[in-house]
Amino acid sequence: MRPTLLAGLEHELRFTVTESKTVPHLYPESGLFRGMPAVFATGFMVGLMEWACLEAIQPHLDAGEASVGVEVRVTHSAATPPGFTVTVRVRLDRVAGRRLGFTVSAHDGVDVIGEGTHDRMVIDVARFSRKVEEKALGGGHEATS
Protein backbone atom coordinates (compact mmCIF):
# COMPACT_ATOMS: atom_id res chain seq x y z
CA MET A 1 0.00 0.00 0.00
CA ARG A 2 1.23 3.43 -0.82
CA PRO A 3 1.45 6.14 1.84
CA THR A 4 -1.24 8.06 -0.07
CA LEU A 5 -3.91 5.55 1.06
CA LEU A 6 -5.34 7.66 3.88
CA ALA A 7 -8.62 8.13 5.69
CA GLY A 8 -10.68 10.87 4.09
CA LEU A 9 -10.35 9.53 0.55
CA GLU A 10 -13.68 9.89 -1.30
CA HIS A 11 -14.98 8.51 -4.58
CA GLU A 12 -18.20 8.52 -6.58
CA LEU A 13 -19.44 5.99 -9.14
CA ARG A 14 -22.52 6.24 -11.37
CA PHE A 15 -24.25 3.24 -12.93
CA THR A 16 -27.45 3.00 -14.96
CA VAL A 17 -29.52 0.01 -13.82
CA THR A 18 -30.28 -2.46 -16.61
CA GLU A 19 -32.80 -5.28 -16.61
CA SER A 20 -29.91 -7.71 -16.06
CA LYS A 21 -29.20 -6.13 -12.66
CA THR A 22 -32.72 -6.71 -11.29
CA VAL A 23 -33.81 -9.28 -8.71
CA PRO A 24 -34.99 -11.95 -11.22
CA HIS A 25 -31.43 -12.05 -12.62
CA LEU A 26 -29.58 -12.29 -9.29
CA TYR A 27 -29.73 -16.08 -9.19
CA PRO A 28 -31.61 -17.18 -12.30
CA GLU A 29 -31.44 -20.76 -10.99
CA SER A 30 -33.94 -19.77 -8.30
CA GLY A 31 -37.59 -19.74 -9.25
CA LEU A 32 -38.21 -17.59 -6.18
CA PHE A 33 -35.89 -14.86 -7.46
CA ARG A 34 -37.28 -15.15 -11.01
CA GLY A 35 -40.75 -14.44 -9.62
CA MET A 36 -39.73 -11.21 -7.88
CA PRO A 37 -40.31 -7.67 -9.22
CA ALA A 38 -37.74 -6.36 -11.71
CA VAL A 39 -36.04 -3.79 -9.46
CA PHE A 40 -32.35 -3.24 -8.68
CA ALA A 41 -31.26 -6.24 -6.62
CA THR A 42 -29.68 -5.81 -3.20
CA GLY A 43 -26.85 -8.14 -4.22
CA PHE A 44 -26.04 -5.97 -7.23
CA MET A 45 -26.26 -2.80 -5.12
CA VAL A 46 -23.70 -4.25 -2.70
CA GLY A 47 -21.49 -5.17 -5.66
CA LEU A 48 -21.75 -1.61 -6.97
CA MET A 49 -20.68 -0.28 -3.57
CA GLU A 50 -17.69 -2.65 -3.62
CA TRP A 51 -16.84 -1.48 -7.15
CA ALA A 52 -16.77 2.14 -5.99
CA CYS A 53 -14.44 1.22 -3.12
CA LEU A 54 -12.17 -0.68 -5.54
CA GLU A 55 -11.94 2.36 -7.80
CA ALA A 56 -11.25 4.64 -4.83
CA ILE A 57 -8.22 2.72 -3.61
CA GLN A 58 -6.77 1.36 -6.86
CA PRO A 59 -4.37 4.29 -7.45
CA HIS A 60 -3.03 3.81 -3.92
CA LEU A 61 -2.13 0.11 -4.15
CA ASP A 62 1.27 -1.27 -5.03
CA ALA A 63 1.84 -3.66 -7.94
CA GLY A 64 0.60 -7.13 -7.02
CA GLU A 65 -1.91 -5.84 -4.48
CA ALA A 66 -5.69 -5.90 -4.61
CA SER A 67 -8.45 -5.91 -2.02
CA VAL A 68 -11.21 -8.29 -1.02
CA GLY A 69 -14.43 -7.53 0.80
CA VAL A 70 -14.53 -8.82 4.37
CA GLU A 71 -17.59 -7.13 5.89
CA VAL A 72 -20.75 -5.51 4.55
CA ARG A 73 -23.37 -3.77 6.69
CA VAL A 74 -25.82 -1.90 4.50
CA THR A 75 -29.50 -1.17 4.27
CA HIS A 76 -31.48 -1.31 1.04
CA SER A 77 -34.36 1.06 1.69
CA ALA A 78 -35.95 1.93 -1.67
CA ALA A 79 -36.70 0.15 -4.94
CA THR A 80 -35.03 1.33 -8.15
CA PRO A 81 -36.46 0.41 -11.56
CA PRO A 82 -34.30 -0.23 -14.63
CA GLY A 83 -33.23 2.91 -16.46
CA PHE A 84 -32.48 4.90 -13.30
CA THR A 85 -28.90 5.97 -12.63
CA VAL A 86 -27.56 5.04 -9.21
CA THR A 87 -24.82 7.20 -7.72
CA VAL A 88 -22.65 5.52 -5.11
CA ARG A 89 -20.50 7.63 -2.80
CA VAL A 90 -17.80 6.07 -0.67
CA ARG A 91 -15.47 7.52 1.95
CA LEU A 92 -12.49 5.75 3.44
CA ASP A 93 -12.89 6.32 7.17
CA ARG A 94 -10.31 3.97 8.63
CA VAL A 95 -6.99 2.42 7.66
CA ALA A 96 -5.99 -0.20 10.25
CA GLY A 97 -3.00 -2.02 8.83
CA ARG A 98 -4.34 -3.73 5.72
CA ARG A 99 -8.00 -3.41 6.78
CA LEU A 100 -9.88 -0.50 5.23
CA GLY A 101 -13.21 0.79 6.57
CA PHE A 102 -15.60 2.69 4.30
CA THR A 103 -18.88 4.55 4.68
CA VAL A 104 -21.02 3.86 1.61
CA SER A 105 -24.27 5.29 0.26
CA ALA A 106 -26.34 4.97 -2.91
CA HIS A 107 -28.96 7.32 -4.39
CA ASP A 108 -31.12 6.72 -7.48
CA GLY A 109 -31.94 10.35 -8.23
CA VAL A 110 -35.16 10.16 -6.21
CA ASP A 111 -34.31 8.29 -3.00
CA VAL A 112 -31.38 7.24 -0.90
CA ILE A 113 -31.59 3.54 -1.70
CA GLY A 114 -28.85 2.20 0.52
CA GLU A 115 -26.25 3.16 3.09
CA GLY A 116 -23.93 1.63 5.61
CA THR A 117 -20.36 0.44 5.99
CA HIS A 118 -18.04 -1.84 4.09
CA ASP A 119 -14.62 -3.19 5.06
CA ARG A 120 -11.98 -4.45 2.66
CA MET A 121 -8.64 -6.17 3.25
CA VAL A 122 -5.63 -5.36 1.07
CA ILE A 123 -4.06 -8.59 -0.14
CA ASP A 124 -0.99 -9.78 -1.98
CA VAL A 125 -2.66 -11.34 -5.04
CA ALA A 126 -0.04 -14.07 -5.59
CA ARG A 127 -0.12 -15.21 -1.95
CA PHE A 128 -3.93 -15.11 -1.84
CA SER A 129 -4.18 -17.10 -5.09
CA ARG A 130 -1.77 -19.75 -3.77
CA LYS A 131 -3.91 -20.21 -0.65
CA VAL A 132 -7.09 -20.55 -2.71
CA GLU A 133 -5.40 -23.08 -5.00
CA GLU A 134 -4.19 -25.08 -1.97
CA LYS A 135 -7.73 -25.07 -0.60
CA ALA A 136 -9.14 -26.27 -3.93
CA LEU A 137 -6.56 -29.07 -4.19
CA GLY A 138 -7.20 -30.12 -0.58
CA GLY A 139 -10.84 -30.86 -1.22
CA GLY A 140 -13.35 -29.61 1.28
CA HIS A 141 -15.64 -28.43 -1.48
CA GLU A 142 -18.65 -30.45 -0.41
CA ALA A 143 -21.56 -28.50 1.04
CA THR A 144 -22.25 -29.09 4.71
CA SER A 145 -25.29 -28.22 6.73
Side-chain angles (χ1 to χ4, degrees):
M1 298 179 337
R2 297 180 184 160
T4 55
L5 185 58
L6 299 170
L9 177 67
E10 294 184 352
H11 187 69
E12 184 175 286
L13 175 65
R14 288 185 172 86
F15 180 81
T16 300
V17 176
T18 61
E19 184 73 26
S20 68
K21 297 298 183 259
T22 62
V23 178
H25 299 277
L26 187 58
Y27 275 97
E29 303 84 356
S30 168
L32 296 171
F33 275 132
R34 284 193 317 270
M36 296 292 292
V39 296
F40 193 38
T42 302
F44 289 125
M45 182 190 74
V46 169
L48 190 60
M49 290 171 166
E50 288 195 85
W51 183 3
C53 292
L54 288 168
E55 284 190 354
I57 65 171
Q58 188 60 39
H60 307 280
L61 297 179
D62 290 323
E65 289 181 326
S67 69
V68 293
V70 295
E71 186 173 331
V72 178
R73 291 178 182 245
V74 297
T75 60
H76 191 177
S77 54
T80 303
F84 277 57
T85 297
V86 173
T87 301
V88 173
R89 290 184 178 90
V90 302
R91 184 183 70 243
L92 179 59
D93 294 323
R94 184 176 23 81
V95 178
R98 295 185 157 274
R99 191 172 181 124
L100 310 175
F102 293 86
T103 297
V104 297
S105 65
H107 197 286
D108 67 8
V110 177
D111 295 308
V112 172
I113 65 167
E115 54 192 351
T117 61
H118 174 50
D119 283 12
R120 302 192 66 75
M121 188 71 71
V122 176
I123 60 161
D124 175 282
V125 174
R127 182 172 180 254
F128 184 87
S129 297
R130 276 193 307 276
K131 285 186 166 188
V132 171
E133 185 176 327
E134 288 170 9
K135 184 176 185 177
L137 292 173
H141 49 76
E142 295 179 29
T144 60
S145 51

